[in-house]
């Protein structure tokens, strides 16, 4: 009697760590996604102090030293194949946002899209375009199968970003995340391999 063969990992261990983190263009925006640098520490501090970012994100950064340590951890987590985070910036310019894929599970083929933008980058569709670009990288280049995007039900702007980026609303997770003002229900959006079309 044969025992069932084990399910192979969706993405082999080591594939991401062997990659150099790429610089990605964001079509139609004049922006690029590049790895974070120690010189971007000021952008993390500004983000932590921004009321809109603080409301929806956990970003406990108060000093340049804390910010630089957080940037160092971004590189470490890339090599550990746990997350892939980019700075949103104009070519040669300062970081004006963060976009990436966290909670990466190579064997299971999944990850979670994360982002925030400083005020200078808001309002022009940048979040949706950057989300589509990172999603294409995660699904097509890295080889993941499924991405999720979660946000408080009290954050309709993120709901619009998810829809514009091609993520489908799958449901509401009750009491799923603790914010400063208490537990929030979260919308769960998802994108699976094959959902994104270049002409969509």
């Amino acid at each position: 009697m044969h025992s069932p063969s084990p399910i192979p990992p969706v993405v082999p261990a080591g594939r991401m760590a062997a990659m150099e983190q790429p610089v990605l263009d964001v079509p139609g925006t004049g922006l690029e996604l590049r790895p974070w640098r120690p010189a971007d520490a000021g952008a993390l501090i500004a983000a932590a102090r921004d009321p809109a970012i603080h409301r929806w994100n956990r970003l406990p950064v108060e000093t340049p030293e804390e910010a630089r340590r957080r940037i160092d951890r971004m590189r470490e987590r890339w090599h550990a194949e746990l997350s892939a985070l980019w700075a949103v910036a104009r070519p040669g310019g300062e970081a004006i946002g963060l976009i990436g894929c966290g909670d990466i599970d190579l064997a299971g083929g999944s990850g979670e899209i994360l982002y925030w933008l400083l005020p200078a980058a808001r309002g022009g569709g940048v979040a949706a375009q950057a989300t589509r670009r990172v999603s294409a990288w995660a699904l097509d280049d890295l080889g993941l199968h499924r991405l999720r995007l979660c946000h408080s039900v009290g954050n309709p702007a993120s709901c619009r970003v998810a829809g514009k980026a091609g993520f489908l609303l799958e449901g509401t997770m009750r009491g799923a995340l603790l914010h400063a003002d208490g537990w929030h229900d979260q919308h769960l959006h998802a994108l699976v391999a094959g959902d994104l079309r270049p002409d969509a």
Side-chain angles (χ1 to χ4, degrees):
M1 186 171 177
H2 290 276
S3 60
S5 58
I7 299 172
V10 176
V11 179
R15 176 182 290 178
M16 181 174 160
M19 295 179 177
E20 195 74 31
Q21 184 173 3
V23 175
L24 307 174
D25 67 307
V26 185
T29 66
L31 300 171
E32 66 180 15
L33 311 179
R34 59 160 174 81
W36 282 81
R37 306 165 181 161
D40 295 320
L44 282 185
I45 295 171
R49 294 174 179 169
D50 180 81
I53 293 173
H54 179 74
R55 183 177 182 189
W56 306 120
N57 297 270
R58 296 174 175 175
L59 191 59
V61 176
E62 296 182 2
T63 67
E65 293 75 22
E66 290 174 338
R68 286 191 287 270
R69 282 197 298 270
R70 197 173 184 95
I71 291 168
D72 286 341
R73 283 198 303 273
M74 292 179 192
R75 289 194 297 271
E76 292 166 3
R77 290 176 68 80
W78 173 281
H79 292 294
E81 303 183 314
L82 297 173
S83 64
L85 300 176
W86 283 266
V88 181
R90 299 204 174 277
E94 298 178 354
I96 53 175
L98 175 146
I99 182 81
C101 187
D103 198 20
I104 292 175
D105 175 4
L106 294 183
S110 68
E112 181 172 1
I113 295 296
L114 313 165
Y115 60 84
W116 50 257
L117 294 174
L118 289 170
R122 294 176 196 155
V126 171
Q129 285 294 94
T131 296
R132 285 181 65 86
R133 185 66 186 92
V134 168
S135 298
W137 174 85
L139 297 173
D140 298 337
D141 298 345
L142 183 57
L144 298 182
H145 174 72
R146 175 181 164 88
L147 300 173
R148 65 188 177 277
L149 192 162
C150 304
H151 63 84
S152 167
V153 297
N155 185 358
S158 274
C159 217
R160 291 191 294 272
V161 168
K164 289 177 182 177
F167 283 69
L168 296 181
L169 178 62
E170 293 189 338
T172 301
M173 302 183 293
R174 296 180 302 145
L177 188 64
L178 182 60
H179 284 281
D181 60 351
W183 289 97
H184 283 228
D185 293 352
Q186 281 194 305
H187 280 163
L188 168 64
H189 303 260
L191 187 76
V192 299
D195 281 351
L196 276 184
R197 296 283 178 252
D199 56 352

